């Protein structure tokens, strides 16, 4: 699993060792590509804005066998949309998210996994500049021992909202600037009643969330206070003073572990790829961190990109496959900005927004509305254009169903994706799909199985004789809907046999 050409130092350089960069590095290694990750910080951060996983991210981790690395997982039955309560466990409960897993813990788990797979993660290396010659990219970084130069076919910026890759690469980043600032602190030695979805006072908004191990997260925003231009985090005294102005309570005696600030800026790169340079995660989209979507969408960006970029650098797929990264993930990012902007209006608005909140509280109690909102936030309702139509599963995630393989072994559909290869899942008696897919071995696994429960309680099933599943878990072809040969060429390039 080495670089394909002696002229390159590696196949892909990734800037940033956050959740997106580390997930991408691991996916690239699974796809057979060499990868160097450049991270300016010396060690993984202990700071965590993200505090859990949406339902789709849970499935993505399950597809790679990662869930045991996070220990016990607790699904949250509640939730809110812009501070208006929503039951995200509505119906069968599969849209519910997991809470209590910090972003810092996620970074450690993903970093260990990527390193085990052979990713070269270089901490203390700050990317300073790069050039794209059209045939490859030259990257320069400042490291502990001076300047480092790397040459690779591709560079991916996963370096956050202030992305050097995005700015240096000339990517347009349209959107809106922040209109409000929220101060955040994770503190010890503080007893406060939980305010999970925020509590409004005449002067602003307060949020308090217990994080476990004696830690509490407090967030405060003051109405009418313009965001400051900061070069570093605020002092905890600033958070405590704002909290007292809004609530009247004194929290200055708490012990801060981490202090930060954020706003409601909403911007998205106009394109996720320019030549040999691509963007993923916060480098591609910034927004108010609402409903825990930011880290989760970033991880899913990486999973969409990883198998495609790996196939291209190893010559298994045409470069045009990379264009589907933008065409599939850019609409997801646009929807992310749309719903977080809506949530910002509800969450940060003053008393003039209360009548709307009251009305929406009643509306969101309805199951239909709750399902729509939970689908937006969970990521389970994403549908990609995979080049053909005609079946409800096309372009959607493969449901997590129980299977009985042809040798009698029982398994779940997510386990078939652990190797990060394509899967031709045959659920009927027609041998033709398996015969066609065999020409793409070993990049497409062929599995024959039956459904352990044709009518599961949650209503999710695979109503098809055969399906072709991409490495990221999305269905690229269904028997009776278009040509399997065409779908295999589109997603896996030329056959190998």
């Amino acid at each position: 699993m080495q670089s394909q050409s002696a002229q390159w130092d590696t196949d892909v350089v990734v800037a940033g060792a956050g959740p997106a960069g580390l997930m991408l590095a691991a996916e690239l290694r699974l796809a057979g590509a060499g990868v160097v990750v450049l991270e300016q910080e010396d060690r993984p951060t202990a700071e965590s804005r993200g505090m859990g996983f949406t339902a789709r991210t849970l499935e993505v981790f399950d597809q790679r066998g990662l869930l045991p690395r996070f220990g016990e997982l607790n699904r949250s039955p509640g939730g809110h949309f812009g501070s208006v309560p929503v039951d995200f466990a509505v119906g069968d409960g599969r849209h519910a998210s997991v809470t209590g897993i910090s972003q810092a813990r996620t970074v450690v788990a993903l970093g260990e996994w990527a390193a085990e797979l052979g990713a070269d993660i270089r901490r203390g290396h700050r990317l300073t500049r790069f050039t794209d010659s059209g045939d490859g990219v030259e990257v320069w970084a400042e490291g502990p021992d001076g300047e480092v130069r790397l040459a690779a076919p591709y560079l991916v910026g996963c370096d956050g909202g202030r992305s050097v890759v995005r700015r240096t690469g000339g990517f347009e980043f349209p959107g809106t600037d922040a209109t409000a600032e929220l101060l955040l602190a994770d503190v010890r030695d503080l007893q406060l009643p939980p305010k999970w979805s925020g509590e409004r006072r005449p002067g602003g908004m307060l949020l308090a969330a217990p994080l476990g191990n004696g830690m509490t997260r407090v967030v405060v925003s003051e109405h009418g206070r313009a965001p400051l231009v900061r070069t570093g985090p605020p002092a905890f005294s600033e958070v405590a003073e704002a909290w007292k102005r809004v609530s009247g309570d004194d929290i200055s005696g708490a012990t801060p572990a981490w202090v930060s600030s954020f706003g409601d800026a909403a911007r998205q790169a106009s394109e996720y790829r320019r030549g040999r340079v691509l963007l993923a995660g916060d480098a591609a989209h910034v927004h108010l961190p609402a409903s825990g979507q930011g880290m989760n969408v970033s991880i899913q960006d990486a999973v969409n990109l990883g198998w495609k970029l790996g196939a291209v650098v190893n010559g298994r797929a045409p470069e045009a496959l990379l264009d589907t990264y933008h065409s599939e993930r850019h609409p997801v990012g646009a929807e992310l900005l749309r719903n977080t902007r809506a949530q910002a209006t509800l969450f940060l608005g003053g008393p003039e927004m209360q009548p709307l909140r009251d009305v929406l509280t009643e509306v969101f109690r309805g199951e239909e509305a709750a399902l729509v909102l939970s689908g937006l936030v969970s990521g389970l309702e994403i549908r990609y254009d995979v080049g053909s139509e005609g079946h409800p599963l096309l372009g959607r995630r493969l449901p997590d169903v129980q299977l009985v393989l042809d040798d009698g072994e029982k398994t779940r559909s997510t386990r078939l994706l652990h190797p990060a290869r394509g899967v031709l899942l045959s659920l009927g008696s027609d041998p033709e799909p398996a015969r066609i897919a065999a020409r793409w071995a070993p990049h497409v696994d062929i599995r024959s199985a039956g459904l352990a429960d044709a009518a599961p309680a949650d209503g999710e099933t695979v109503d098809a004789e055969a399906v072709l599943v991409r490495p990221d878990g999305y269905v690229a072809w269904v028997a009776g809907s278009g040509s399997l040969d065409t779908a295999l060429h589109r997603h896996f390039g030329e056959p190998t046999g």
Side-chain angles (χ1 to χ4, degrees):
M1 295 169 69
Q2 299 297 321
S3 180
Q4 298 300 300
S5 173
Q7 69 176 308
W8 307 120
D9 298 299
T10 189
D11 292 317
V12 182
V13 175
V14 174
L22 293 171
M23 190 77 195
L24 177 60
E27 292 288 303
L28 286 166
R29 292 299 297 147
L30 288 170
V35 58
V36 173
V37 182
L38 302 175
E39 168 55 50
Q40 65 179 356
E41 300 297 333
D42 294 329
R43 59 183 60 85
T45 179
E47 301 171 355
S48 297
R49 290 191 180 177
M51 293 302 299
F53 308 138
T54 59
R56 181 55 189 154
T57 299
L58 279 175
E59 288 185 343
V60 164
F61 287 163
D62 199 11
Q63 289 171 185
R64 300 296 184 254
L66 292 176
L67 290 184
R69 294 175 182 259
F70 297 101
E72 184 178 356
L73 300 174
N74 299 308
R75 284 192 180 255
S76 172
H80 68 90
F81 188 86
S83 78
V84 179
V86 180
D87 178 11
F88 286 140
V90 65
D92 54 44
R94 66 175 178 264
H95 291 87
S97 60
V98 159
T99 58
I101 306 295
S102 70
Q103 183 169 327
R105 185 172 162 193
T106 302
V107 165
V108 170
L110 293 180
E112 290 173 350
W113 179 49
E116 290 166 13
L117 291 172
D120 182 356
I121 303 171
R122 303 186 187 182
R123 296 193 176 276
H125 285 74
R126 180 176 62 88
L127 185 148
T128 55
R129 68 189 194 280
F130 66 86
T131 60
D132 178 357
S133 67
D135 296 318
V137 182
E138 286 188 276
V139 178
W140 288 266
E142 287 293 335
D145 299 319
E147 188 173 69
V148 174
R149 174 195 168 276
L150 293 169
Y154 291 94
L155 167 67
V156 185
C158 299
D159 50 342
R162 297 183 177 90
S163 171
V164 173
V165 173
R166 187 187 66 237
R167 287 186 279 113
T168 304
F171 289 82
E172 294 182 6
F173 200 46
T176 56
D177 292 332
T179 62
E181 181 179 51
L182 294 87
L183 304 179
L184 176 153
D186 289 350
V187 299
R188 298 184 181 89
D189 309 317
L190 179 65
Q191 297 295 321
L192 284 174
K195 302 175 178 63
W196 290 102
S197 58
E199 179 180 298
R200 259 159 294 282
R201 301 288 179 86
M205 184 280 302
L206 307 163
L207 183 148
L211 303 179
N213 298 319
M215 193 80 72
T216 298
R217 171 161 295 179
V218 295
V219 179
V220 57
S221 175
E222 294 183 84
H223 293 322
R225 179 173 176 176
L228 300 178
V229 177
R230 297 183 181 273
T231 57
F236 177 62
S237 59
E238 189 176 343
V239 181
E241 290 164 5
W243 187 276
K244 187 169 186 178
R245 286 193 296 269
V246 174
S247 71
D249 298 326
D250 185 1
I251 64 170
S252 61
T255 303
W258 175 49
V259 182
S260 185
S261 64
F262 58 95
D264 60 338
R267 293 186 176 276
Q268 182 184 22
S270 298
E271 52 192 338
Y272 283 11
R273 178 192 176 200
R274 295 195 72 192
R276 297 276 176 166
V277 183
L278 301 102
L279 303 176
D282 290 349
H285 40 72
V286 297
H287 54 90
L288 180 76
S291 302
Q293 296 175 86
M295 180 183 73
N296 290 273
V297 172
S298 297
I299 288 170
Q300 292 164 46
D301 284 348
V303 175
N304 184 283
L305 176 59
W307 67 275
K308 298 174 181 177
L309 187 51
V312 170
V313 297
N314 282 322
R316 298 196 308 268
E319 193 170 323
L321 182 63
L322 286 182
D323 293 331
T324 68
Y325 169 60
H326 171 89
S327 65
E328 291 181 353
R329 293 305 296 176
H330 194 272
V332 174
E335 176 54 48
L336 171 67
L337 262 65
R338 186 173 77 106
N339 87 62
T340 52
R341 277 171 164 153
Q343 292 194 65
T345 301
L346 292 167
F347 195 60
L348 301 175
E352 75 282 355
M353 294 301 299
Q354 194 56 46
L356 179 58
R357 296 187 193 105
D358 293 340
V359 170
L360 291 180
T361 298
E362 296 298 320
V363 172
F364 291 175
R365 285 177 183 154
E367 183 169 318
E368 184 175 350
L371 281 171
V372 170
L373 294 173
S374 61
L376 283 178
V377 171
S378 69
L380 294 185
E381 304 306 319
I382 290 170
R383 186 171 194 175
Y384 297 138
D385 178 1
V386 292
S388 60
E389 300 177 352
H391 193 283
L393 275 178
L394 280 168
R396 295 191 183 276
R397 53 181 263 285
L398 179 70
D400 180 12
V401 295
Q402 293 284 344
L403 300 171
V404 181
L405 301 178
D406 53 3
D407 61 2
E409 179 188 354
K410 291 186 177 180
T411 189
R412 290 167 50 230
S413 54
T414 51
R415 289 186 60 84
L416 302 182
L417 293 161
H418 282 193
R421 293 192 291 269
V423 177
L424 189 285
L425 178 60
S426 178
L427 297 167
S429 58
D430 184 1
E432 186 65 9
R435 186 192 67 77
I436 295 172
R439 298 171 59 211
W440 275 264
H443 308 304
V444 176
D445 295 334
I446 300 169
R447 308 302 296 267
S448 296
L451 294 172
D453 186 352
D458 63 10
E460 287 211 302
T461 189
V462 181
D463 184 16
E465 289 289 300
V467 294
L468 176 65
V469 187
R470 308 185 325 185
D472 59 358
Y474 287 86
V475 176
W477 172 85
V478 177
S481 300
S483 164
L484 174 56
D485 189 90
T486 299
L488 285 161
H489 274 92
R490 174 185 172 97
H491 293 93
F492 299 99
E494 293 299 316
T496 55

